[in-house]
Amino acid sequence: MANVNIQELLESGVHFGHLTRKWNPNMAPYIYTERNGVHIIDLYKTAAKIEETAEALKKIANSGRKILFVATKKQAKDIVAERAKAVNMPYITERWPGGMLTNFVTIRKAVKKMAHIDRMKQDGSFDALSKREKLQINRQREKLEKNLGSIADMTRLPGALFIIDIKKEHIAVAEARNLNIPIFAMVDTNSDPRLVDFVIPANDDASKSVNKVLSYVSDAIAEGLSERKSDKEKGKEGKAEKSAPKKVKAKAEATESVEKDSE
């Protein structure tokens, strides 16, 4: 796993916090100084927290559990969607569906409804419907795809959440805390870090900052997935090697039996 480069964080504007009058006092340990009425985040602490977060996410990915990315703010949504897709993880970049975690069964029903419409189009039953019914179903399918298409493969609750801006995504934070799902997040100086299990103190408003932090996070997840795949392949090879001597022995016994019979 690559070490975090302080200079790159600086160039990406990760150190810029919010106006001092908007700060949350609980973020004080992560603030280096104040400049022109804006808090400056201590990048050495940010780097340490990125490395800590990356290691934990790598383990979760290696265990086979999903990490749900959440970012509905304009500056981050496209970046999050791209990074999450790259590591085959679910993400929410449109409006957070209320009860997404706490009422997961209902959300899964909505996802299955989407799959049911797709089957109707494949087996021809969709063609038998009236023009008006087709229009209504297509609209329903588009709405479901927009809001839930990115979590279609998430068949169970995620192993963790990675959130950009916990203040904006407060409902997601509340649901995850209610279910004891670990929360990883980029936390700016206006938010309360006590709500998060793994805090990355960083500018969560600038797209460059979000992209830079996510590059480290997604690389760690990809590494975890790669190790999982490698371990599985080694496991298969080990099984094959164990079964091979048994087959050889069985073949030898069969040959010996035939020779005795011929005598």
Side-chain angles (χ1 to χ4, degrees), residues 8-21:
E8 287 180 5
L9 295 180
L10 188 68
E11 289 169 1
S12 301
V14 176
H15 59 298
F16 290 120
H18 274 267
L19 294 171
T20 51
R21 59 186 169 83

Side-chain angles (χ1 to χ4, degrees), residues 4-253:
V4 179
N5 188 311
I6 299 290
Q7 187 60 35
E8 287 180 5
L9 295 180
L10 188 68
E11 289 169 1
S12 301
V14 176
H15 59 298
F16 290 120
H18 274 267
L19 294 171
T20 51
R21 59 186 169 83
K22 289 186 177 182
W23 82 311
N24 187 304
N26 294 301
M27 280 297 288
Y30 305 110
I31 294 171
Y32 175 66
T33 188
E34 172 258 318
R35 193 177 299 155
N36 300 325
V38 174
H39 274 130
I40 303 299
I41 295 165
D42 187 336
L43 288 182
Y44 285 97
K45 289 186 178 178
T46 300
K49 288 293 185 181
I50 289 174
E51 288 176 4
E52 184 185 320
T53 295
E55 190 60 41
L57 287 173
K58 179 183 169 182
K59 286 178 182 175
I60 292 171
N62 187 267
S63 72
R65 287 173 293 168
K66 293 288 185 182
I67 297 152
L68 176 63
F69 285 79
V70 185
T72 59
K73 68 198 301 180
K74 190 179 175 183
Q75 309 94 299
K77 60 196 297 185
D78 292 340
I79 296 164
V80 167
E82 186 184 332
R83 293 286 182 182
K85 279 180 192 173
V87 289
N88 197 28
M89 290 295 169
Y91 58 92
I92 294 288
T93 52
E94 297 301 323
R95 183 184 65 84
W96 174 266
M100 165 76 204
L101 301 175
T102 51
N103 198 10
F104 189 65
V105 174
T106 303
I107 296 296
R108 280 303 302 164
K109 282 179 183 175
V111 172
K112 284 177 182 175
K113 177 70 178 174
M114 199 162 57
H116 175 66
I117 293 170
D118 291 341
R119 282 197 300 273
M120 282 176 66
K121 289 184 177 183
Q122 287 172 358
D123 63 23
S125 56
F126 182 78
D127 298 326
L129 300 173
S130 67
K131 194 174 181 181
R132 187 181 176 185
E133 286 173 324
K134 283 181 183 177
L135 189 64
Q136 286 175 336
I137 288 173
N138 277 331
R139 279 178 182 164
Q140 186 183 22
R141 175 70 177 78
E142 284 171 15
K143 190 178 178 182
L144 287 169
E145 177 63 42
K146 184 181 178 183
N147 294 321
L148 303 174
S150 57
I151 60 158
D153 296 331
M154 196 173 79
T155 55
R156 58 177 179 159
L157 285 170
L161 261 67
F162 190 94
I163 301 174
I164 311 294
D165 194 342
I166 58 171
K167 204 162 187 179
K168 183 173 176 59
E169 314 300 344
H170 64 279
I171 300 172
V173 172
E175 288 191 29
R177 280 170 62 83
N178 189 28
L179 295 170
N180 292 320
I181 296 172
I183 302 170
F184 297 75
M186 284 179 69
V187 183
D188 214 326
T189 56
N190 66 333
S191 302
D192 187 352
R194 296 175 301 174
L195 301 173
V196 177
D197 299 290
F198 289 82
V199 178
I200 298 177
N203 176 0
D204 62 15
D205 290 312
S207 53
K208 278 182 77 176
S209 171
V210 172
N211 190 41
K212 176 49 65 180
V213 172
L214 281 181
S215 69
Y216 292 113
V217 168
S218 56
D219 284 352
I221 292 171
E223 203 174 315
L225 292 171
S226 177
E227 285 181 9
R228 177 177 169 79
K229 188 180 177 183
S230 177
D231 291 343
K232 274 187 174 180
E233 286 171 358
K234 283 178 184 175
K236 284 179 184 176
E237 285 173 9
K239 283 181 182 177
E241 284 172 9
K242 282 180 183 177
S243 62
K246 288 180 182 177
K247 287 179 182 177
V248 171
K249 187 180 178 183
K251 194 173 181 182
E253 286 173 354

